[in-house]
């Protein structure tokens, strides 16, 4: 989440102007060629701009189109879950890093199901941890610890409940991140784990298609304030750990000023992002209840959505110049 430098900002503005000019002249030409092939009247520049704007609105600003909801056969389940004192809601503490606890949780689920033959409708893998630090300041233990929760925990829980999910032709919903599709400085442990969740979910979706199981990925943007996943206290303790445990040659090469500058950037992010997790919760609910859930949900602010598209579709040399 490095801030855009003056040079980067200039490049972004220049690229925007260039893109506008290209679209202003190139898009009409392309559309006119398509219209001629179809035997239809040629379009104008104004119509092309309107078409482009409509595409943007459809991708970013339009609410989800209704695709029907899966109904509870008895109709009472949803009503009871709306009441916080529902006797159908069971709570169990679970460490997703523990094979034994995951096995015990599955047995607990089976013991509390009215009919285990009907299976389990959905699992939402939401457990996650985050950290930061440049590669040479980050220990191998940190890489392993983050992936143990974010990636292996997701895989471990999914594999354990998958037989029950298949029985119900249900849903698997995995929480990834916008950083599951684009990297950033100081976020390599987190990005690696979330990229893995993305790949695992894609592969699982292909395999589960024949079983009638739907697999969805939620890719939240910046929800630092809403989740409290990064606070000034966390930044301070992490910074001390990174500096104290870094090899002496790394500290000498990078220097304290460089290190403190990056830690200052991390502190500045503590008050950024969405203040409410409702967009994420809405997407999780849709993935569970919609008859035709999306493969991917991207609850994020428009500027992050645009950055994600540029980072994943432009050549790396161009996106690197724009953002780094």
């Amino acid at each position: 989440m490095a801030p855009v430098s003056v040079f980067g900002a200039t490049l972004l503005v220049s690229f925007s102007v260039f893109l506008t000019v290209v679209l202003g002249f190139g898009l009409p030409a392309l559309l006119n060629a398509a219209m001629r092939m179809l035997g239809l009247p040629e379009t104008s520049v104004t119509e092309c701009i309107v078409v482009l704007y409509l595409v943007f609105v459809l991708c970013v600003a339009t609410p989800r189109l209704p695709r029907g909801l899966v109904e509870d056969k008895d109709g009472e389940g949803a009503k009871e879950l709306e009441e916080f004192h529902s006797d159908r809601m069971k709570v169990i503490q679970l460490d997703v890093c523990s094979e034994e606890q995951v096995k015990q949780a599955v047995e607990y689920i089976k013991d509390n199901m009215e009919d285990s033959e009907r299976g389990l409708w959905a699992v939402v893998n939401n457990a996650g941890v985050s950290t930061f630090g440049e590669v040479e300041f980050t220990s191998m233990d940190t890489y392993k610890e983050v992936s143990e929760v974010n990636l292996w925990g997701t895989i471990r829980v999914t594999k354990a409940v998958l037989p029950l999910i298949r029985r119900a032709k249900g849903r698997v919903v995995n929480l990834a991140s916008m950083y599951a599709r684009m990297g950033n400085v100081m976020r390599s442990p987190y990005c690696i784990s979330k990229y893995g969740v993305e790949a695992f979910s894609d592969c699982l979706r292909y395999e589960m298609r024949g079983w009638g199981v739907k697999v969805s990925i939620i890719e939240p943007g910046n929800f630092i304030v809403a989740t409290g996943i990064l606070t000034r206290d966390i930044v301070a303790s992490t910074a001390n750990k990174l500096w104290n445990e870094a090899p002496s040659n790394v500290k000498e090469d990078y220097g304290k000023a460089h290190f403190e500058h990056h830690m200052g950037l991390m502190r500045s992010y503590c008050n950024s992002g969405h203040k409410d997790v409702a967009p994420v919760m809405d997407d999780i609910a849709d993935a569970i209840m919609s008859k035709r859930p999306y493969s991917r949900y991207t609850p994020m602010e428009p500027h992050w959505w645009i950055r994600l598209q540029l980072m994943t579709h432009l050549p790396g040399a161009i996106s690197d110049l724009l953002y780094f």
Side-chain angles (χ1 to χ4, degrees):
M1 295 184 294
V4 179
S5 63
V6 174
F7 176 68
T10 303
L11 278 176
L12 276 173
V13 172
S14 301
F15 179 74
S16 298
V17 173
F18 171 75
L19 189 62
T20 301
V21 173
V22 170
L23 290 175
F25 292 98
L27 184 61
L30 287 174
L31 288 179
N32 286 335
M35 291 297 186
R36 285 195 296 271
M37 290 177 61
L38 297 172
L40 299 173
E42 293 187 357
T43 63
S44 67
V45 173
T46 302
E47 291 167 336
C48 292
I49 294 173
V50 170
V51 169
L52 186 64
Y53 179 73
L54 286 175
V55 170
F56 174 80
V57 170
L58 285 173
C59 291
V60 179
T62 303
R64 276 195 304 269
L65 299 175
R67 284 154 289 123
L69 295 176
V70 176
E71 297 180 0
D72 188 302
K73 290 186 177 181
D74 300 321
E76 295 298 321
K79 296 177 183 177
E80 291 185 8
L81 286 175
E82 287 175 358
E83 302 173 3
F84 292 100
H85 59 274
S86 170
D87 58 4
R88 293 179 60 185
M89 184 179 294
K90 309 293 183 181
V91 179
I92 179 172
Q93 185 170 323
L94 171 63
D95 179 0
V96 299
C97 301
S98 168
E99 293 280 356
E100 186 59 33
Q101 288 193 32
V102 170
K103 289 178 183 178
Q104 290 174 0
V106 173
E107 291 305 313
Y108 181 84
I109 292 170
K110 291 178 180 177
D111 292 342
N112 284 275
M113 294 176 70
E114 292 183 4
D115 182 5
S116 60
E117 292 303 314
R118 292 175 58 185
L120 178 67
W121 177 249
V123 60
V124 178
N125 286 299
N126 186 47
V129 295
S130 181
T131 190
F132 60 88
E134 291 176 282
V135 172
E136 290 192 88
F137 284 91
T138 303
S139 68
M140 286 304 300
D141 285 341
T142 297
Y143 280 104
K144 293 175 183 177
E145 288 165 5
V146 173
S147 286
E148 185 61 42
V149 177
N150 294 355
L151 176 56
W152 306 124
T154 294
I155 296 174
R156 184 177 292 113
V157 172
T158 301
K159 283 174 62 66
V161 299
L162 205 53
L164 292 173
I165 298 289
R166 283 193 289 104
R167 222 172 280 172
K169 298 184 185 299
R171 307 292 165 80
V172 177
V173 183
N174 292 332
L175 270 290
S177 167
M178 63 180 177
Y179 286 140
R181 292 174 61 196
M182 62 178 181
N184 209 338
V185 294
M186 296 197 294
R187 302 310 301 274
S188 61
Y190 185 74
C191 291
I192 287 168
S193 67
K194 292 301 185 178
Y195 265 72
V197 170
E198 197 92 6
F200 170 70
S201 302
D202 281 340
C203 295
L204 183 65
R205 187 175 72 254
Y206 309 147
E207 294 178 10
M208 290 295 104
R209 184 180 179 88
W211 292 94
V213 173
K214 303 292 195 306
V215 180
S216 296
I217 308 169
I218 314 293
E219 300 169 342
N222 183 359
F223 285 84
I224 288 176
V225 171
T227 61
I229 198 169
L230 186 67
T231 65
R232 287 181 174 271
D233 288 341
I234 292 174
V235 171
S237 61
T238 303
N240 288 333
K241 183 175 184 293
L242 288 172
W243 184 259
N244 292 335
E245 295 181 1
S248 57
N249 64 313
V250 170
K251 290 192 282 189
E252 183 179 346
D253 289 345
Y254 281 81
K256 189 69 171 181
H258 168 94
F259 181 82
E260 289 297 342
H261 172 70
H262 280 75
M263 294 306 104
L265 293 178
M266 294 308 302
R267 283 192 294 273
S268 71
Y269 300 138
C270 293
N271 297 320
S272 66
H274 284 278
K275 293 179 172 59
D276 189 356
V277 295
V280 177
M281 299 302 294
D282 289 344
D283 284 348
I284 292 174
D286 188 81
I288 294 172
M289 297 304 298
S290 173
K291 289 182 178 178
R292 291 177 293 279
Y294 296 127
S295 298
R296 281 176 172 80
Y297 294 81
T298 54
M300 62 183 69
E301 295 162 306
H303 68 276
W304 279 115
W305 184 89
I306 293 171
R307 175 168 175 165
L308 179 62
Q309 306 312 311
L310 294 178
M311 292 286 289
T312 54
H313 291 85
L314 287 177
I318 297 176
S319 60
D320 288 358
L321 283 173
L322 291 174
Y323 288 108
F324 300 102

